[in-house]
Amino acid sequence: MSGFQAVEWTGEALRLLDQRRLPTEEVYRVYADPEAVARAIEQMVVRGAPAIGVTAAYGVALAARRRVGADEEFRSAMGAVLERFARTRPTAVNLFWALDRMRRVIEGTPDPVRAAEALEAEARAIEAEDLAACRAMGRFGAELLPDPATVLTHCNAGALATAGYGTALGVIRAAAEAGKRVQVLADETRPFLQGARLTAWELQKDGIPVTLITDSMAGYRMRLGGVDAVVVGADRITRIGDVANKIGTYALAVLAREHGVPLYVAAPLSTVDFELSSGDEIPIEERDPTEVTHCGGARVAPEGVGVWNPAFDVTPAHLVTAIVTERGVARPPYTESLEAFRR
Ligand code: MRU
């Protein structure tokens, strides 16, 4: 498999593959400072909802190693660390899910030395559970694909975006491993180009046939026929099955419905926000305008132009054919099927 690790705990520090430099350079950065880890999440050195959760968990573990002091002092310092990580990226609910797990460990372990050990163990568990969830999603999702299959995907929901193997790309990988002849159409995913830079790179490394298209080509490609499924990941799913994912997913979902193509969302249950009952309640991150005015560092729009740069959109549940989780494939009505999978 892949031959790279997006997020790796060395036992002393956190090693991240700098995804801003891909595909031209494979640069790993080592972090011992939790504030630098928080900035790495904000600046998209690491990205993808599950990988953000795993990274933040290790960031908290790093902070705990440094803050071994009196009990009260330790707790309030760790509270500030949790708040700092919660401010990094607002949409990916895996971040808040991971921080909640870390918070429970802090609350349940009064001794700071023992808490530091327990936090490291919890971060390792979050990472291991995510990898296992990706493999399970792969097995369930692969069964949904025909043989041969042409799958259209958006953004990067691969090993780069998780503890390994991937969610949407995990489904594709598992189908290929099961002997299905799968080829992928990868949307370039403007403005940050996760499809062109990351998905194309990741699939090429695995020897899975991939064809890159710009986002605006997806509709015509579906109209010509031969797209068997759209498979994407998610940043947050409400209890009724509304899905927040990379900007452009909603447009793909509308196109898929128009052309009779199933839309499958692959996501671990840590991506389901059971507190929310409507996609309208999901906070949508807006990012720096330069992501839109510039491409590969070069300006492509006039100075001073107004820019709107939402990083995610929301696809309503009625456009989602199925949600692939580590517990099985949820079908509408999602309020019931997702609830049944809840731990
Ligand atoms: O802004 P990004 O690159 O973090 O957005 C990533 C996505 O939208 C992914 O599809 C989602 O996080 C799922 S990753 C398994």
Side-chain angles (χ1 to χ4, degrees), residues 3 5 9 13 61 76 86 146 160 165 177 199 233 256 263 295 297 299 313 329:
Q5 187 75 34
W9 179 246
S76 81
L160 286 168
Y165 204 68
E177 284 166 12
T199 295
L263 171 79
C295 201
R299 174 173 282 284
D313 59 25
V329 178

Side-chain angles (χ1 to χ4, degrees), residues 19 41 44 46-52 89 92 94 130 134 154-162 166-169 189 192 194 198 232-236 244-247 249 266-268 271 285 287 311-312:
Q19 299 190 30
I41 295 173
M44 312 249 276
V46 61
R47 30 66 51 202
I52 291 169
R89 294 199 70 192
N94 306 62
D130 185 60
C134 285
H154 191 65
C155 193
N156 172 270
L160 286 168
T162 58
T167 58
L169 295 195
T189 318
F192 210 67
Q194 290 94 331
L198 309 177
V232 294
D235 281 79
R236 195 183 293 225
N245 191 46
K246 180 53 53 192
I247 189 77
T249 304
T271 302
E285 176 183 10
R287 292 188 59 85
F312 303 97

Side-chain angles (χ1 to χ4, degrees), residues 35-47:
E35 173 55 29
V37 175
R39 282 199 301 267
I41 295 173
E42 285 166 345
Q43 293 163 6
M44 312 249 276
V45 171
V46 61
R47 30 66 51 202

